[in-house]
Amino acid sequence: MPHTFVTGTNGFVAVHVIAALISANHHVTGSVRSLDKGTDLLALHPEWKGKSDFVAVSDYTKEGVWDEAFEKGEFDYVVHVAAPLPDPKNTDFVTQYLDPGVKGNVELLKSASKYGGAKLKAISITGTINAITTGDPTDLESREITNADWNSITIEDAASAQNPFISYCAAKKFSELATWDYVKEHSPPYSVTVLLPPLIFGPPIQVVTNMKNINHSSNNLSSIAKEYGTKSKPQIDVRDLADANLLTLTTPAGRNARFLIGGHPISYQQIVDTLKSIPSLKSRLAKDSGETPVFARIDAAEGDRALGMKYRTREETFGDAARRILELEKELGGS
């Protein structure tokens, strides 16, 4: 049975990664900021008991922070998901975005090289399309987004802006650049692949305690249902992203590469039209604005071919997400 280490275990994406790995007969060790988070996760997913365990990693910026996990774990694979997300309360670019992102990645690779040995075969890192673009409509209209591209934000730009979203985009860029610098300099015996998804939708199966803050895309979906205009969002189903992470570990063509993944264009109008199939939502959906959205042109073909990706339908992604959010409303109250 392969043993796989997953970071940021209690997050929206990582929980789906765990589900995919366990379904593929992996034993999973997950990092959480405190062990009670792992206990809560197993209470929600008792089917994972005996197939998973957890280690506490509280500060990704500390040197050697991953050493103990790798020294004890003897992992075959790693899926690195943990990273700072945009948060209106966090405005300091360096301490709240850049350092956790860059040091989190590099320290993980250093620990993997130090303790992974011959057993560790591959590391998959979940990056983001925002390392390439902020999604500004002018940028999206001017070019096709490819695996070779990067956003133009500098460290000075981000430090000056002190804007959570700009900080996030810049940190993801420089975290990934630091990853490739490490690989180039040290030529580790394991492979490294970075996946670059767009906005990630799908059913939230992580521990949720507050309907006002489920996760970014679930909050976004609720807003889209109520009000929208000309906007569009390239998207991927969170379960497809989890499958892509799994495939990068075991597919030779998917190793040591940088892949845009997903990126299917969809307008807010199309999302709302899809949600009309759920009877209890009809009275809560926004009316057609009649406006024309701007779609991003994303070339994800290389990753799709390398990994043999098969994607869920729009109805599966948004229907399953909405139905799970409705379940949470009943459990927790609110809308």
Side-chain angles (χ1 to χ4, degrees):
M1 176 182 289
H3 188 186
T4 302
F5 184 46
V6 179
T7 69
T9 303
N10 53 314
F12 173 57
V13 173
V15 173
H16 280 280
V17 170
I18 294 172
L21 289 166
I22 289 177
S23 294
N25 202 35
H26 288 233
H27 183 90
V28 174
T29 294
S31 78
V32 287
R33 290 192 178 273
S34 60
L35 290 178
D36 62 302
K37 300 294 186 183
T39 301
D40 292 344
L41 194 54
L42 285 180
L44 182 63
H45 294 283
E47 70 275 15
W48 295 350
K49 291 180 179 178
K51 303 173 184 178
S52 60
D53 58 83
F54 300 93
V55 296
V57 180
S58 59
D59 186 352
Y60 303 149
T61 65
K62 288 184 178 179
E63 185 175 354
V65 67
W66 305 104
D67 281 358
E68 184 176 357
F70 278 91
E71 188 175 11
K72 294 180 178 179
E74 296 187 355
F75 304 123
D76 296 281
Y77 305 108
V78 176
V79 180
H80 183 40
V81 184
L85 295 172
D87 186 331
K89 298 187 297 291
N90 296 338
T91 57
D92 188 273
F93 168 60
V94 174
T95 62
Q96 294 173 315
Y97 294 93
L98 185 65
D99 283 353
V102 171
K103 293 179 180 178
N105 281 19
V106 173
E107 288 298 325
L108 182 103
L109 297 175
K110 287 164 64 176
S111 296
S113 297
K114 187 175 180 180
Y115 295 107
K119 186 175 173 64
L120 182 60
K121 303 173 186 69
I123 295 179
S124 179
I125 299 175
T126 299
T128 174
I129 194 172
N130 293 121
I132 296 175
T133 179
T134 63
D136 179 84
T138 303
D139 182 32
L140 298 182
E141 288 180 321
S142 69
R143 61 175 174 139
E144 181 179 53
I145 307 301
T146 76
N147 293 328
D149 297 331
W150 298 90
N151 70 47
S152 61
I153 305 170
T154 66
I155 287 178
E156 292 75 19
D157 290 338
S160 175
Q162 296 297 326
N163 173 283
F165 181 65
I166 296 300
S167 291
Y168 170 75
C169 295
K172 295 301 283 189
K173 169 187 174 180
F174 290 107
S175 299
E176 190 187 344
L177 286 170
T179 297
W180 294 123
D181 286 345
Y182 181 92
V183 170
K184 183 177 180 180
E185 181 178 352
H186 297 279
S187 300
Y190 50 82
S191 65
V192 175
T193 303
V194 178
L195 298 177
L196 305 172
L199 190 59
I200 306 161
F201 287 101
I205 62 169
Q206 74 277 19
V207 175
V208 177
T209 59
N210 184 343
M211 286 302 298
K212 293 182 179 179
N213 188 22
I214 305 174
N215 58 273
H216 178 68
S217 68
S218 295
N219 297 340
N220 195 293
L221 182 59
S222 297
S223 298
I224 291 168
K226 296 173 182 175
E227 182 178 0
Y228 63 91
T230 60
K231 293 182 180 180
S232 67
K233 290 286 185 185
Q235 59 87 22
I236 186 171
D237 190 297
V238 64
R239 296 163 292 187
D240 294 334
L241 177 57
D243 290 342
N245 272 290
L246 177 58
L247 287 165
T248 65
L249 304 178
T250 56
T251 307
R255 295 181 173 180
N256 291 314
R258 178 186 201 233
F259 291 136
L260 285 158
I261 200 80
H264 314 300
I266 188 166
S267 69
Y268 282 14
Q269 175 63 55
Q270 289 170 322
I271 294 173
V272 169
D273 288 344
T274 301
L275 296 178
K276 289 176 181 176
S277 65
I278 301 174
S280 60
L281 281 180
K282 285 185 178 180
S283 63
R284 296 168 55 177
L285 298 175
K287 295 181 179 180
D288 188 349
S289 68
E291 298 173 308
T292 303
V294 175
F295 290 108
R297 291 172 291 142
I298 299 171
D299 181 5
E302 183 183 2
D304 289 348
R305 287 193 301 269
L307 301 176
M309 287 299 298
K310 296 179 181 179
Y311 293 101
R312 286 167 174 78
T313 65
R314 180 188 308 164
E315 289 73 23
E316 289 175 297
T317 298
F318 295 100
D320 290 350
R323 280 184 282 271
R324 176 58 183 152
I325 292 171
L326 289 172
E327 289 176 358
L328 289 169
E329 285 183 6
K330 290 181 180 180
E331 294 171 16
L332 302 173
S335 61

